[in-house]
Structure formats: C-alpha cells, structure tokens
C-alpha cells in the first residue's frame, strides 16, 4: 500500500492487487491498513474489485465521506482506468451503454437485453491507446472513463463484446496471467474543504501484466 496524499479530511492511497477495498473479515483490506498506518478512523467512499489495483480516496470523517459520495452520485467525481483487453478492440473510441444484471450469489454480472428487477444501466467511454503483441497474444491498451459504477462493469462490458480483460478468467479470458489487466489510474473530485478540483494519478509498477512498453503508451 502506498499513500499518495494525506490531510485532515481525506487520504488518497494506492490499493495493491488482491487487497479488499472495504471492511472484511480479515485484515487484508484498505480500511484496516490505512487506520493502522494513520492511527485514525477511515471511512470508505467508493470501491474497487479485489482483483483490481490503483488509486482510491478515503475519508477521515463521516461528513467528508458523505460529500464525496454525493459527488459520485452526481457524476462530478471522475474515475479513469487502464484496461488491457484481448484482441484489437474496435472502434478506437466509443461509449458503451448496457443493461447489467448482477448475480450476487455467483458474484458475477451479465449483460442483458431487457430491464427487469435488479437490472441497472451501465455506461462507460474508452479510448484505445494502441495494441501490443505479448506472450498472452495481441492486447489492446485502453483508457476507460466510468459514468456509472456497477459491479465488474468494465470487465463484463468488454467481455460481452469479445474483449475479455487480460487475466480475467471469470469473464472468459483463457490466458494464464496472474494479475487482472485493470488499474485505477486517475481520480478527480472537488476537495470537500477547499472546493478546489484535485486530481491524483498512479501507474502500476512494471510487472508481467503492466510491462514498460504498455505504461509508456499510457503516458
């Protein structure tokens, strides 16, 4: 875990792959780790899948958490991701809009055609930064902006179009990558105290998934 920014109201930190973003039954979660590190109470604002790493913001009091959560609801809270998808994603940029149904028991989401109970609209936009040949095959490098924050949204929306994310065997990937090709790399929001718009970025360390050549295309 890496702390990127810290003040009296909030903390911005980098969540490692495999760490739970909110409270859980074990201590391998960001709330416990940050509370232990900073010796203060920590309040969740948003979440990342356990398999996803990257930049997150946490509040130090309930009032700040409520302000930040309201920004998410009002879509003034900006989140961008790096996604590594199998095959040559086409077109080079687009907005994807789907209806998603989440099976909570299976912890899996599905694209469906009709609205019904439990179905929610999911919207994202993406830009392809390029493609690269890897030992896992041809990989598209995408910058993704979320307009909604549904469970597994990026993963299932691309997988439903034949572009499963690298390492995402839950949604159809057949590679043996040990890390999911999805990283939260940029956050932007109005600071609850100053009301200034602040931005924070974080790029993953070079590893078998986010190799140097991929990171250079993102910058």
């Amino acid at each position: 875990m890496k702390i990127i920014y810290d003040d009296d109201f909030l903390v911005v930190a980098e969540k490692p792959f495999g760490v739970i973003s909110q409270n859980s039954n074990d201590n391998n979660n960001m709330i416990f780790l940050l509370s232990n590190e900073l010796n203060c109470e920590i309040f969740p604002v948003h979440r990342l899948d356990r398999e996803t790493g990257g930049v997150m913001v946490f509040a130090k009091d309930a009032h700040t958490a409520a302000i930040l959560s309201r920004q998410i609801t009002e879509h003034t809270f900006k989140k961008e991701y790096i996604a590594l998808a199998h095959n040559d994603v086409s077109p080079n940029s687009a907005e994807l809009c789907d209806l998603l149904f989440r099976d909570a028991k299976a912890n899996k989401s599905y694209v469906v055609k009709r609205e019904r109970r439990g179905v929610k609209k999911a919207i994202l936009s993406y830009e392809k930064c390029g493609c690269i040949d890897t030992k896992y095959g041809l990989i598209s490098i995408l910058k993704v902006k979320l307009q909604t924050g549904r469970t597994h949204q990026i993963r299932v929306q691309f997988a439903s179009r034949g572009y499963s994310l690298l390492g995402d065997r839950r949604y159809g990937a057949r590679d043996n990558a040990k890390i999911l090709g999805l990283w939260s790399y940029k956050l932007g929001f109005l600071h609850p105290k100053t009301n200034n718009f602040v931005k924070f970025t974080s790029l993953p360390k070079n590893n078998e998934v986010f190799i140097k050549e991929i990171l250079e295309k993102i910058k």
Side-chain angles (χ1 to χ4, degrees):
M1 181 191 67
K2 173 185 175 183
I3 294 177
I4 299 170
Y5 174 83
D6 178 28
D7 65 21
D8 292 338
F9 303 94
L10 56 86
V11 56
V12 178
E14 184 182 282
K15 184 185 90 66
F17 291 110
V19 174
I20 299 172
S21 59
Q22 299 188 8
N23 278 320
S24 62
N25 293 329
D26 60 45
N27 294 335
N28 189 34
N29 68 82
M30 292 297 291
I31 303 298
F32 175 83
L33 295 173
L34 287 170
S35 297
N36 190 58
E37 177 74 18
L38 300 174
N39 194 30
C40 66
E41 195 168 5
I42 296 294
F43 294 78
V45 173
H46 61 120
R47 65 179 296 276
L48 289 177
D49 296 339
R50 182 173 192 158
E51 301 93 338
T52 305
V55 61
M56 297 186 69
V57 61
F58 299 84
K60 292 187 175 181
D61 59 78
H63 180 64
T64 298
I67 293 173
L68 291 170
S69 296
R70 187 164 59 249
Q71 291 186 41
I72 294 174
T73 302
E74 295 173 351
H75 305 297
T76 57
F77 188 105
K78 305 301 181 183
K79 294 182 282 187
E80 297 186 38
Y81 294 77
I82 302 169
L84 307 181
H86 281 285
N87 305 317
D88 186 358
V89 173
S90 179
N92 289 335
S93 61
E95 179 178 274
L96 307 184
C97 182
D98 293 298
L99 296 173
L100 297 190
F101 173 77
R102 183 188 176 216
D103 183 339
K105 187 174 181 180
N107 190 26
K108 191 171 182 179
S109 296
Y110 302 87
V111 171
V112 297
K113 294 182 178 180
R114 296 182 179 87
E115 293 189 3
R116 63 177 191 268
R117 185 177 179 181
V119 171
K120 295 181 179 180
K121 183 177 288 187
I123 305 173
L124 63 78
S125 60
Y126 74 86
E127 174 189 356
K128 184 169 69 177
C129 300
C131 293
I132 183 173
D133 283 313
T134 75
K135 65 180 181 181
Y136 306 110
L138 185 65
I139 297 296
S140 292
I141 306 161
L142 312 172
K143 285 185 178 180
V144 181
K145 295 182 180 180
L146 284 181
Q147 295 186 38
T148 56
R150 311 306 181 197
T151 301
H152 299 171
Q153 178 179 337
I154 296 173
R155 299 162 64 178
V156 68
Q157 284 195 271
F158 281 104
S160 71
R161 292 166 169 82
Y163 306 122
S164 295
L165 299 194
L166 188 64
D168 197 4
R169 286 171 287 280
R170 181 184 297 272
Y171 290 102
R174 295 291 181 262
D175 59 74
N176 62 353
K178 296 179 180 179
I179 295 175
L180 179 67
L182 184 61
W183 183 266
S184 169
Y185 93 103
K186 184 182 292 186
L187 289 182
F189 53 87
L190 294 173
H191 193 286
K193 178 64 175 179
T194 67
N195 208 40
N196 292 329
F197 191 80
V198 292
K199 294 187 292 185
F200 301 94
T201 60
S202 172
L203 289 173
K205 295 180 180 178
N206 294 347
N207 54 50
E208 68 165 354
V209 172
F210 290 93
I211 60 177
K212 183 178 180 181
E213 188 173 351
I214 290 173
L215 296 182
E216 286 178 346
K217 286 183 179 292
I218 293 295
K219 293 179 179 178

